[in-house]
Amino acid sequence: TRFGPTVTPNPTPTRPTPPPPHTPNPPSPPTRAMSSTKGLNVARSRGKAQTELLRANINDQVQRLLDQLEDLEELKDEFEDEKEYEETKQDTMTQLREFQEFLERSVQGDMSLVSEYGATILALQAAISEAFKTPEVIRMFAKKQPDALRKRLESLHRDKKIRQITTEQFQTQAVEILIALKKLGSKLSTQEQAFLDKMSSARHMEDVVDKLGSGSSVEKSLISKANAEISKAKR
């Protein structure tokens, strides 16, 4: 038998081995300076958010308590008797005192908050001690509104002229307004200062208001800031 030539089959083709996948270089670990800066920014952001929440809470509480104080006087005749009015008034004063103490603690050490709420604290103290008795004036004082106080004083002059209020009512509110304006840093006219000088109640009230802020954490913070600025100026 004749055999043909032996045929060797073609070997099975093989696929080329693919190159290994590219592995990117791992990121460099953050340096200590980068980590420190990032942590500082986060802390600042958190601190700012907490301060804004504190501001919102303070403003809400101030508004609520001033409204309550104003309602107490406006609705005085609607209480069943004097005892109920006095009990409600004492409760309001207790709330004012507790909030004023909370406010002093909250702003201590933060000069921006001290500057923002220093007048509010003094106005609350004036209300608690009853050095100031007019809720509307206390509100304007607490919110640092010298223009509104000026308009209120003009309105009082008109009301006195047309005898809508008594001389005693005019004097009581006018004294409160002028002392509040002085505490807010407004300059009084010669006539306004002369009016205060001749009013014995004004001298007493001004002394009381001066003593209210004396020794408080707010006053200490302001004195500390002033001393720091003086020392800086001397360098």
Side-chain angles (χ1 to χ4, degrees):
T1 306
R2 187 174 177 178
F3 297 94
T6 302
V7 178
T8 304
N10 291 330
T12 304
T14 58
R15 296 180 181 178
T17 304
H22 174 69
T23 304
N25 293 327
S28 302
T31 63
R32 183 177 297 177
M34 291 170 60
S35 299
S36 177
T37 302
K38 184 178 180 181
L40 186 60
N41 289 337
V42 170
R44 284 175 177 169
S45 178
R46 186 180 297 118
K48 185 176 180 181
Q50 289 174 343
T51 300
E52 289 307 311
L53 283 173
L54 177 62
R55 274 196 176 96
N57 180 39
I58 289 172
N59 293 336
D60 287 345
Q61 291 298 319
V62 168
Q63 184 68 38
R64 179 184 67 80
L65 289 169
L66 292 177
D67 287 344
Q68 192 171 321
L69 193 63
E70 206 163 282
D71 290 344
L72 183 68
E73 294 306 311
E74 289 181 357
L75 304 175
K76 185 176 181 179
D77 295 336
E78 297 186 18
F79 286 92
E80 291 184 3
D81 51 38
E82 187 70 19
K83 182 181 178 182
E84 184 187 15
Y85 167 76
E86 286 299 329
E87 288 176 351
T88 307
K89 182 178 179 180
Q90 288 306 312
D91 180 61
T92 300
M93 291 301 170
T94 299
Q95 292 181 51
L96 283 170
R97 192 176 296 106
E98 290 174 350
F99 176 71
Q100 178 254 317
E101 291 170 356
F102 159 78
L103 186 53
E104 276 207 44
R105 291 194 305 270
S106 299
V107 305
Q108 192 170 9
D110 188 324
M111 287 313 304
S112 65
L113 292 178
V114 167
S115 178
E116 187 172 349
Y117 293 109
T120 303
I121 291 172
L122 193 55
L124 293 177
Q125 290 175 332
I128 293 164
S129 67
E130 297 191 73
F132 280 22
K133 301 180 184 296
T134 311
E136 189 176 357
V137 175
I138 294 169
R139 180 189 296 275
M140 294 172 187
F141 186 11
K143 293 192 170 186
K144 297 196 296 188
Q145 297 175 330
D147 292 341
L149 286 166
R150 285 280 178 199
K151 289 180 181 178
R152 176 68 180 168
L153 185 59
E154 291 172 5
S155 176
L156 285 175
H157 279 290
R158 289 194 299 268
D159 290 346
K160 179 175 177 288
K161 189 174 291 186
I162 62 177
R163 298 185 179 180
Q164 276 195 341
I165 58 174
T166 65
T167 300
E168 184 180 355
Q169 289 173 324
F170 169 80
Q171 290 175 345
T172 298
Q173 291 193 45
V175 166
E176 290 180 12
I177 289 171
L178 291 174
I179 291 176
L181 285 169
K182 286 184 71 174
K183 293 302 172 185
L184 291 176
S186 296
K187 187 175 181 180
L188 303 187
S189 68
T190 304
Q191 293 84 352
E192 290 168 342
Q193 187 58 55
F195 172 78
L196 282 182
D197 291 342
K198 75 176 183 180
M199 298 292 297
S200 58
S201 61
R203 290 194 295 273
H204 172 70
M205 188 184 299
E206 199 163 1
D207 287 342
V208 170
V209 174
D210 284 340
K211 288 176 182 177
L212 288 175
S214 179
S216 70
S217 60
V218 172
E219 184 192 52
K220 289 174 183 176
S221 295
L222 290 172
I223 291 172
S224 175
K225 181 184 179 184
N227 288 337
E229 290 177 349
I230 291 170
S231 298
K232 185 178 179 181
K234 288 180 178 179
R235 290 174 187 171

